[in-house]
Amino acid sequence: MDMITEDPRSPIKLALPLSSASPPVLWGARRKTGLVYSRNDIYYNRLERHSAKIHRCLHLRNSEESRMPGEGGGAESGLHRLHRNCYDPEYARMEAWLDEHPDFVQDYFLRKATRQVVDSWLVSHATPTSSSVELSSPTHNQSRGGSGATTPVRKISAHEFERGGLLKPMISTIDGTPTFLTSTEGQTGSGPGHSPTPGRRQRRSRHELRQLDEKELIFELVKDICNELEVRSLCHKILQNVSMLLHADRGSLFLVQGEKATCQTVGPHSQRGRYLVSKLFDVCSKSTLIEMEKKDEIRIPWGTGIVGYVAESGDPVNIPDAYKDERFNHDIDVLTGYKTRTLLCMPIKDTNGDVLGVAQVINKVGDAPFTEQDEKIFSSYLQFCGIGLRNAHLYEKSQLEVKRNQVLLDLARMIFEEQSTIEHVVFRILTHTQSLIQCQRVQVLLVHQASKGSFSRVFDFEATDLNGEDSESRTSPYESRFPINVGITGYVATTGETVSIPCAYEDPRFDHSVDDGTNFKHKTILCMAIKNSSGQIIGVIQLINKFDDLQFTKNDENFVEAFAIFCGMGIHNTHMYERAVVAIAKQSVTLEVLSYHATASLDDAQRLRKMRVPSAANFRLHEFTFDDYIMNDDETITACIRMFLDLDLVERFHMDYEVLCRWLLSVKKNYRNVTYHNWRHAFNVAQMMFSILTATQWWKIFGEAECLALIIGCLCHDLDHRGTNNSFQIKASSPLAQLYSTSTMEHHHFDQCIMILNSPGNQLLANVSPDEYSRVIRIVEEAILSTDLAVYFRKRGAFFNIVREGPRFNTEEHRELLRAMLMTVCDLAAITKPWDVEKRVAELVSSEFFEQGDIEREELNITPIDIMNREKEDQLPLMQVGFIDSICLPIYESFAALSDKLEPLVDGVRENRDHWLEIAAAQSLIPSESMEKDSNDNMTISKPSTPDSDAPSSPVHNYNSD
């Protein structure tokens, strides 16, 4: 008995047979009209509850039906698919019924399918799941405060674009102007609303196709593929169709990828030449596209095996017995468990005669060999297949072109989003390049502008860097962690050529020593120049070891080349921004300095010139216990002149005596009237340098030029000191801190020194040779920067080793360390003076420190450290002891080991330490019973303890707390 149902919106009446495989389908009409079916209501209700799932079932079936040839046994294939998707038998029967009633399916789809279902259908046919690419913007998914740097979360790599065969460069030229827009010549355009697979027709079943004659069959099969634009689906149709045409058991299709080999691309490790890739392998009549896509891709070298021979020669191959042909690879049968007997292999060519791929059918039904007629039919059909493949390739390239442009635009936005510092920009470049190309290591090397063959800064990034604990907070890359392969990077930096090396150890430019002791081995390298908008090379980007032991391809080069343009613009813009910031900071500092300082007048210099200069003995300049307390300012200036005269610097460097007088007055004038770091401190440091050079006769070791630089360095080492240290400049974000990130005040002191030396009437070095001038200035800079305690701590370990092993002062390295440590010894010399001098100086230092602490508390709203905290003034004696033990005694004892003439300095330090210990005991900072004398009659603390747990045990603050 059949039941007639009627849709109230349509005059169409449907006769539904009441069988177990015939479910009712008009759920909407049933709800509206209240029709009651004669079958079990529970069954209908269950179907109604799962209508959404049936929509999906409809969608899946429609998608798969369009991609595979139909066959009479539609229920069997439907059951197979439903079983794979874990559908229950009811749904299987339902889909089988839908397969047998395509007209109803179409009618239902038109009436009931939602916009979402239609969109899903279009997407699934335009871009298959297996090749889908998610373009996820890093900065959209994650954001960081402050710098705005991001961790890449892109789900795309350049390898995704390999299958499209993007062999043309990303950068083309139109009217001589570089552009990222690819020429549309030879490509099919698509207007608004253009479907990727237009006019998809309902396919005939296999049973229907077998009833057609040969010409009609070929015509139907050609129509079946003519509008298919998805490569894998097209290949699947081609293989199933040719198997039907030739009565073959199964087939495979290989597509050509890569570019034609040239003299540059041929080599034992090259992958730049063409090769064949199995889009689908061993497809039989019952194979589905989804099943085939799960198989691993097979890559066949050009000219290798039967398939490679056909691709290379362009000639078909018909083999009646595969095992008798030496080109046949028996291992494939072993792996698949399928025995190949007969084989017909033929090239697929485009209209220009170029080989696009190779189609292969195996084992004709009935164990008969393939005939000449089979070859003609095969060849005729493949001509149309070549046209279809070419169209599909063009469409796939257009799709990849869109995605490629999206990637580049996203990368460009990422770079230009923030360009505050070069570190942040380079960090973004490194992380996103590594994510895109998928390699182990990326380096960006910035070219030194003065020497094009060397690099000023080297940034590196490793794939594992984002796995660390600080990965979320890191906004700048590591610098100079890994050795630089100067041979390759230097070559690229000087020539601008791109270097792609498939095997690093076989390239003569590669330096094997960079891998020594690093637990890292260079395998593949891609190195490319980064240029600014003017075409000048400003850096080099180097990618090392692509993942999965793959080699860098032409596609990778295209991406990096395109990305390098944005990198060059970003780095150039950041440099310009940093220069602007530095220029503004310099202007601010200069205006401040000029408003406060001025060079000494010529009248003052002439007045000083006429003054008598007493002897060094009269000033006691040779004595370590020298005290300037009773001297006036004029006497300090004439004492400085005496030092220049006694060291024979005036005669040796042909100094104008009036210029020397004016220079000294200008230096004195450029010291601010702060409590401690003023002209008197600089004068005392110079006096100690003079006394050490003369007492030890080290002036013979250094020579005149180095002695001159050391005296200039001592007199200028605290120029324009503001009474605040480096830490304060950074906390207050002063213009000086923006100008110099390390050794802030010391760099400023040196700049002031150079400014005075270049001022008219103060050019003390005007008569020295250019080479001597450069050497003196370099040593002056080293000397002034060495007064930063951070530099002292960095260098003193090497100096102590030299003292233990025995110095070789004939080498520049040892003399440089000696000069640096000598500057610290002179800078801290107040700690060696007699107790009354030491105590007076300590009070001046503490007063200046407390003034800085007051500013930090009142203006910066921060609690100062103990040494600068006026509230902890009572802890000063104990802090002095810690300062002497941790900083002073080690360096003075080392110098005493170099020369016994310096023993008085060590004795002075120890005596002052004893005085501070006595004061600490008197103030109950330490128990008096814990103090005792050692074998050298020095005071020590046997059981250190303090009543104040906050008091520092070993502070590292000193008088020169820059």
Side-chain angles (χ1 to χ4, degrees):
M1 165 181 175
D2 287 348
M3 178 184 65
I4 304 298
T5 64
E6 182 173 342
D7 188 339
R9 295 168 295 178
S10 172
I12 298 176
K13 294 185 178 182
L14 301 174
L16 302 181
L18 293 180
S19 64
S20 60
S22 304
V25 292
L26 296 180
W27 299 296
R30 179 172 173 266
R31 285 196 296 270
K32 289 185 177 182
T33 62
L35 293 176
V36 178
Y37 297 92
S38 60
R39 295 188 60 83
N40 193 318
D41 285 339
I42 298 177
Y43 174 71
Y44 300 137
N45 291 335
R46 288 177 61 192
L47 290 175
E48 203 166 13
R49 287 197 303 270
H50 299 294
S51 61
K53 294 184 179 179
I54 296 175
H55 271 74
R56 290 197 299 272
C57 168
L58 237 174
H59 162 63
L60 286 171
R61 177 57 186 163
N62 214 12
S63 299
E64 295 182 4
E65 179 67 25
S66 65
R67 299 189 187 197
M68 56 184 296
E71 196 170 357
E76 180 182 355
S77 61
L79 282 170
H80 178 71
R81 289 191 303 277
L82 290 174
H83 177 71
R84 187 174 64 251
N85 291 291
C86 301
Y87 289 169
D88 58 32
E90 285 189 16
Y91 291 159
R93 290 194 295 273
M94 189 183 308
E95 182 175 4
W97 188 89
L98 293 173
D99 289 343
E100 296 169 3
H101 297 81
D103 293 337
F104 173 75
V105 172
Q106 181 176 354
D107 176 70
Y108 180 82
F109 184 85
L110 293 174
R111 290 185 293 105
K112 296 295 185 66
T114 64
R115 177 63 178 270
Q116 182 180 3
V117 172
V118 175
D119 290 343
S120 300
W121 186 90
L122 290 173
V123 170
S124 66
H125 285 68
T127 307
T129 306
S130 62
S131 61
S132 62
V133 178
E134 179 182 350
L135 292 171
S136 175
S137 170
T139 51
H140 288 174
N141 292 342
Q142 285 187 347
S143 61
R144 292 184 179 175
S147 70
T150 58
T151 300
V153 291
R154 187 182 311 282
K155 303 300 184 183
I156 183 172
S157 70
H159 187 65
E160 293 285 348
F161 294 85
E162 293 290 346
R163 66 185 192 83
L166 296 180
L167 303 180
K168 294 182 179 179
M170 282 191 172
I171 306 157
S172 57
T173 302
I174 298 178
D175 296 332
T177 303
T179 177
F180 288 100
L181 300 178
T182 300
S183 173
T184 57
E185 183 179 355
Q187 297 187 15
T188 56
S190 57
H194 177 74
S195 170
T197 309
R200 187 178 294 276
R201 57 190 293 275
Q202 182 66 36
R203 302 183 68 196
R204 293 195 182 191
S205 67
R206 283 182 176 271
H207 178 72
E208 292 175 325
L209 291 173
R210 286 170 180 158
Q211 306 304 316
L212 303 176
D213 61 27
E214 182 180 297
K215 291 184 178 180
E216 290 177 338
L217 177 59
I218 292 179
F219 181 68
E220 282 295 322
L221 297 182
V222 168
K223 288 194 295 183
D224 185 43
I225 66 170
C226 66
N227 289 326
E228 182 61 66
L229 294 179
E230 201 283 309
V231 174
R232 283 187 179 273
S233 178
L234 176 62
C235 293
H236 189 261
K237 284 185 176 182
I238 290 173
L239 289 175
Q240 289 200 323
N241 290 346
V242 296
S243 296
M244 183 186 304
L245 273 172
L246 304 179
H247 305 287
D249 185 57
R250 60 186 60 196
S252 302
L253 195 146
F254 301 84
L255 294 184
V256 176
Q257 290 192 1
E259 54 186 330
K260 291 184 179 180
T262 63
C263 58
Q264 287 84 8
T265 60
V266 174
H269 298 277
S270 176
Q271 286 189 346
R272 297 296 180 82
R274 293 195 290 180
Y275 53 91
L276 296 119
V277 173
S278 65
K279 284 298 179 182
L280 296 169
F281 186 75
D282 266 4
V283 175
C284 62
S285 60
K286 297 181 180 179
S287 300
T288 65
L289 180 60
I290 297 177
E291 290 174 341
M292 293 295 100
E293 287 179 336
K294 292 180 180 178
K295 293 185 177 182
D296 294 334
E297 188 176 83
I298 299 175
R299 179 173 294 194
I300 298 178
W302 191 257
T304 302
I306 297 174
V307 173
Y309 168 79
V310 171
E312 185 177 46
S313 65
D315 300 327
V317 170
N318 188 349
I319 302 176
D321 189 343
Y323 280 80
K324 291 183 179 180
D325 194 295
E326 60 183 11
R327 294 167 296 183
F328 178 69
N329 186 357
H330 301 185
D331 295 337
I332 296 179
D333 281 2
V334 175
L335 292 174
T336 61
Y338 179 86
K339 184 174 181 180
T340 303
R341 295 183 296 276
T342 58
L343 186 149
L344 177 58
C345 195
M346 192 164 289
I348 303 176
K349 300 181 180 180
D350 61 9
T351 55
N352 297 323
D354 295 330
V355 177
L356 299 178
V358 173
Q360 174 182 273
V361 288
I362 301 172
N363 293 354
K364 187 169 182 177
V365 176
D367 291 338
F370 292 102
T371 64
E372 291 185 5
Q373 182 64 19
D374 291 332
E375 292 184 24
K376 292 180 181 179
I377 296 173
F378 200 8
S379 175
S380 299
Y381 183 65
L382 291 184
Q383 289 180 12
F384 297 102
C385 295
I387 299 173
L389 279 174
R390 170 60 67 185
N391 291 338
H393 274 309
L394 292 175
Y395 173 72
E396 187 176 46
K397 285 185 178 182
S398 69
Q399 293 294 94
L400 290 175
E401 186 80 11
V402 172
K403 295 170 187 173
R404 180 175 67 170
N405 291 338
Q406 289 174 343
V407 171
L408 290 175
L409 289 173
D410 188 44
L411 293 174
R413 178 195 53 75
M414 173 273 302
I415 291 179
F416 295 117
E417 191 173 50
E418 181 186 350
Q419 301 179 27
S420 58
T421 65
I422 192 67
E423 291 82 6
H424 293 164
V425 170
V426 171
F427 185 67
R428 286 167 175 258
I429 292 172
L430 292 173
T431 54
H432 286 74
T433 303
Q434 188 279 326
S435 176
L436 177 67
I437 305 299
Q438 294 290 294
C439 58
Q440 284 185 300
R441 185 177 292 173
V442 184
Q443 289 182 317
V444 168
L445 304 91
L446 301 184
V447 173
H448 196 287
Q449 295 304 310
S451 175
K452 297 297 183 182
S454 60
F455 302 101
S456 59
R457 301 184 73 177
V458 178
F459 302 94
D460 44 58
F461 178 82
E462 204 164 15
T464 56
D465 286 350
L466 294 180
N467 300 331
E469 296 179 357
D470 63 340
S471 61
E472 290 299 319
S473 59
R474 175 167 288 279
T475 59
S476 59
Y478 294 98
E479 289 198 49
S480 305
R481 279 187 304 169
F482 311 123
I484 307 172
N485 184 18
V486 179
I488 294 174
T489 55
Y491 174 80
V492 173
T494 52
T495 64
E497 297 180 13
T498 297
V499 172
S500 182
I501 302 176
C503 184
Y505 278 77
E506 294 186 6
D507 194 287
R509 294 166 295 186
F510 177 69
D511 181 9
H512 300 188
S513 64
V514 299
D515 286 344
D516 294 344
T518 62
N519 295 323
F520 184 88
K521 183 177 181 180
H522 285 67
K523 299 176 183 177
T524 57
I525 298 174
L526 175 59
C527 193
M528 192 172 294
I530 299 175
K531 302 178 181 179
N532 60 16
S533 56
S534 303
Q536 296 176 331
I537 298 175
I538 61 175
V540 170
I541 184 168
Q542 179 174 241
L543 292 79
I544 304 169
N545 294 359
K546 194 171 181 180
F547 285 158
D548 300 325
D549 291 330
L550 298 174
Q551 296 178 12
F552 293 105
T553 63
K554 188 65 178 178
N555 186 62
D556 295 329
E557 289 185 26
N558 291 340
F559 262 109
V560 176
E561 181 182 6
F563 191 31
I565 291 182
F566 295 118
C567 296
M569 296 169 62
I571 292 174
H572 177 72
N573 292 346
T574 304
H575 276 314
M576 296 299 293
Y577 175 79
E578 288 183 336
R579 289 175 186 173
V581 171
V582 170
I584 294 172
K586 281 187 174 181
Q587 182 184 30
S588 177
V589 172
T590 302
L591 290 174
E592 182 186 1
V593 171
L594 291 178
S595 65
Y596 189 89
H597 300 299
T599 58
S601 67
L602 182 59
D603 292 339
D604 289 339
Q606 292 175 344
R607 180 184 62 83
L608 178 62
R609 180 182 182 181
K610 297 175 183 178
M611 295 178 64
R612 186 180 68 88
V613 180
S615 65
N618 184 72
F619 284 126
R620 300 175 58 202
L621 293 178
H622 293 291
E623 299 180 12
F624 294 140
T625 58
F626 173 83
D627 183 13
D628 69 319
Y629 186 70
I630 61 172
M631 298 175 67
N632 58 39
D633 287 348
D634 285 344
E635 289 176 327
T636 60
I637 297 293
T638 54
C640 289
I641 296 175
R642 175 50 60 190
M643 296 180 209
F644 275 84
L645 293 172
D646 283 9
L647 289 173
D648 199 27
L649 302 178
V650 177
E651 291 295 329
R652 167 63 180 80
F653 295 100
H654 312 290
M655 294 181 185
D656 187 308
Y657 188 76
E658 184 175 290
V659 171
L660 173 62
C661 294
R662 192 173 184 182
W663 179 81
L664 288 170
L665 289 169
S666 295
V667 169
K668 173 183 172 296
K669 191 174 183 64
N670 276 270
Y671 274 94
R672 299 195 182 195
N673 189 25
V674 296
T675 307
Y676 176 70
H677 289 94
N678 49 37
W679 163 250
R680 288 303 181 106
H681 167 64
F683 169 66
N684 276 278
V685 173
Q687 181 275 328
M688 180 57 73
M689 179 66 73
F690 175 80
S691 61
I692 291 177
L693 290 176
T694 54
T696 60
Q697 298 291 294
W698 283 351
W699 58 269
K700 298 177 181 178
I701 294 175
F702 293 126
E704 297 98 333
E706 294 180 33
C707 287
L708 172 63
L710 287 172
I711 295 297
I712 292 176
C714 289
L715 291 171
C716 298
H717 82 281
D718 273 333
L719 275 171
D720 195 46
H721 200 289
R722 287 94 188 281
T724 53
N725 61 9
N726 290 336
S727 176
F728 178 85
Q729 305 302 324
I730 296 173
K731 293 174 185 176
S733 298
S734 69
L736 282 176
Q738 297 178 27
L739 205 53
Y740 315 106
S741 58
T742 59
S743 300
T744 302
M745 292 304 301
E746 286 74 23
H747 277 104
H748 178 58
H749 304 324
F750 173 70
D751 283 352
Q752 292 302 110
C753 173
I754 297 301
M755 183 189 73
I756 297 174
L757 283 172
N758 290 329
S759 299
N762 294 274
Q763 296 167 331
L764 190 66
L765 305 178
N767 297 324
V768 302
S769 67
D771 291 340
E772 281 188 326
Y773 179 84
S774 299
R775 183 162 180 255
V776 169
I777 294 301
R778 177 179 60 83
I779 297 173
V780 168
E781 181 179 17
E782 292 174 357
I784 293 177
L785 294 182
S786 295
T787 59
D788 183 1
L789 273 188
V791 177
Y792 162 73
F793 280 116
R794 191 166 64 243
K795 292 183 175 181
R796 74 173 188 173
F799 178 72
F800 292 160
N801 289 336
I802 288 177
V803 173
R804 283 193 298 268
E805 298 170 3
R808 298 190 305 275
F809 291 133
N810 59 330
T811 64
E812 175 60 27
E813 179 184 0
H814 284 201
R815 284 207 315 280
E816 181 182 339
L817 273 176
L818 179 61
R819 292 195 303 265
M821 295 298 105
L822 192 55
M823 287 297 298
T824 301
V825 165
C826 296
D827 199 16
L828 306 180
I831 202 71
T832 68
K833 302 290 183 177
W835 171 244
D836 58 334
V837 178
E838 150 67 2
K839 190 171 184 299
R840 184 176 73 244
V841 172
E843 291 173 352
L844 293 174
V845 175
S846 301
S847 177
E848 186 174 284
F849 283 176
F850 292 152
E851 290 170 6
Q852 175 177 324
D854 294 341
I855 297 174
E856 291 179 353
R857 181 182 285 107
E858 295 170 5
E859 298 183 8
L860 304 182
N861 295 320
I862 59 177
T863 302
I865 58 177
D866 292 349
I867 196 78
M868 297 182 180
N869 194 340
R870 196 180 298 276
E871 297 174 359
K872 297 196 175 183
E873 185 176 2
D874 58 332
Q875 298 293 326
L876 178 61
L878 201 57
M879 294 180 188
Q880 288 292 337
V881 173
F883 165 62
I884 291 172
D885 290 342
S886 61
I887 296 179
C888 300
L889 269 178
I891 188 66
Y892 283 106
E893 288 174 348
S894 295
F895 269 83
L898 290 176
S899 174
D900 55 3
K901 302 292 185 182
L902 303 181
E903 283 288 352
L905 298 179
V906 181
D907 295 338
V909 174
R910 290 170 178 162
E911 290 173 5
N912 289 327
R913 180 181 182 277
D914 292 344
H915 283 295
W916 287 116
L917 279 175
E918 291 172 359
I919 295 175
Q923 295 180 358
S924 299
L925 297 176
I926 54 175
S928 58
E929 59 271 13
S930 66
M931 296 178 57
E932 57 186 30
K933 291 189 176 183
D934 59 15
S935 58
N936 294 323
D937 205 31
N938 297 319
M939 299 294 293
T940 61
I941 307 174
S942 59
K943 297 178 180 179
S945 61
T946 62
D948 187 351
S949 60
D950 292 334
S953 58
S954 58
V956 292
H957 310 290
N958 70 344
Y959 305 129
N960 184 39
S961 186
D962 279 351

